[in-house]
Amino acid sequence: VRDRLDLLPLRQPVAARGNAARVFARQDLLDALARPERYRIFGHADGGQILAASEFALADAQVLLRQAYGDLVSFGAVSVHTYCDPASATPMVPVMFVRIDAPRSHLQEVLGSLKARGAEVKDCEIRRDRVLVRAELEFLRALGLERHLAEQTDGAGHFLSWLMRYQPAARSRGNTAS
């Protein structure tokens, strides 16, 4: 049975000072701020860590902490959670399902962006004025994709993603473009 926190594969350290450091020392207060299916905040030492399901969820948690504590909190580098499978000693990486709804005129740009990130396109549904693309890709390679597609489509594209599974890192590397 997997740890439920593995469903929140995006991680970011948070440093806290002053009153914020006192709050981070009390996990019950941090639990009150959480949206468990989207993000959780864990306190440790002089700060804590945000665990998030997606980049959008991470941004929500950052905004919440900034609104509550302003400059008393600062954020470290974002990382993607991986783990070593205890049975096989194989490194495991998270794989995301992405669904992109964009103007049909941007189809080649969307497909090019997905291909450049090593995505496996599962379905491409062409409609009258829009295209719906469904794909899978390693979460690390998906970072920044939503913002990139918004820029490519001048904000006319819609992006959804969610964690599908963890898979062996070697398998994932075999499916990505260099």
Side-chain angles (χ1 to χ4, degrees):
V1 175
R2 300 280 319 145
D3 187 330
R4 292 211 29 95
L5 296 179
D6 287 339
L7 298 176
L8 304 172
L10 203 52
R11 311 293 167 94
Q12 184 175 41
V14 180
R17 298 180 313 281
N19 290 338
R22 287 189 284 280
V23 171
F24 273 82
R26 294 196 48 200
Q27 188 60 48
D28 60 328
L29 295 176
L30 294 175
D31 288 344
L33 296 174
R35 295 183 64 193
E37 299 302 317
R38 295 180 40 82
Y39 61 82
R40 304 257 330 255
I41 305 164
F42 291 97
H44 56 80
D46 290 333
Q49 185 176 40
I50 301 170
L51 282 65
S54 67
E55 286 181 277
F56 188 70
L58 178 64
D60 280 352
Q62 292 169 338
V63 167
L64 176 78
L65 290 173
R66 274 277 184 243
Q67 288 174 341
Y69 304 108
D71 291 338
L72 296 177
V73 293
S74 58
F75 304 102
V78 175
S79 64
V80 175
H81 173 67
T82 61
Y83 71 93
C84 189
D85 179 52
S88 66
T90 303
M92 303 294 282
V93 298
V95 175
M96 302 299 285
F97 179 85
V98 297
R99 179 186 176 276
I100 302 163
D101 178 355
R104 189 173 177 176
S105 60
H106 292 282
L107 174 61
Q108 293 309 314
E109 292 169 288
V110 169
L111 292 175
S113 292
L114 290 169
K115 182 179 178 183
R117 292 169 181 264
E120 182 180 340
V121 175
K122 296 293 188 177
D123 183 44
C124 184
E125 182 181 328
I126 298 176
R127 298 178 178 173
R128 184 174 163 190
D129 296 326
R130 301 202 52 93
V131 62
L132 185 64
V133 180
R134 296 173 188 91
E136 295 178 15
L137 72 158
E138 183 181 327
F139 197 3
L140 184 61
R141 296 184 62 99
L143 292 177
L145 181 59
E146 182 173 8
R147 182 178 53 250
H148 176 74
L149 290 171
E151 291 168 1
Q152 271 188 327
T153 64
D154 297 322
H158 305 284
F159 181 91
L160 291 172
S161 69
W162 56 88
L163 179 67
M164 283 198 57
R165 66 183 175 278
Y166 279 80
Q167 71 183 23
R171 177 176 155 198
S172 181
R173 268 188 240 108
N175 288 338
T176 57
S178 298

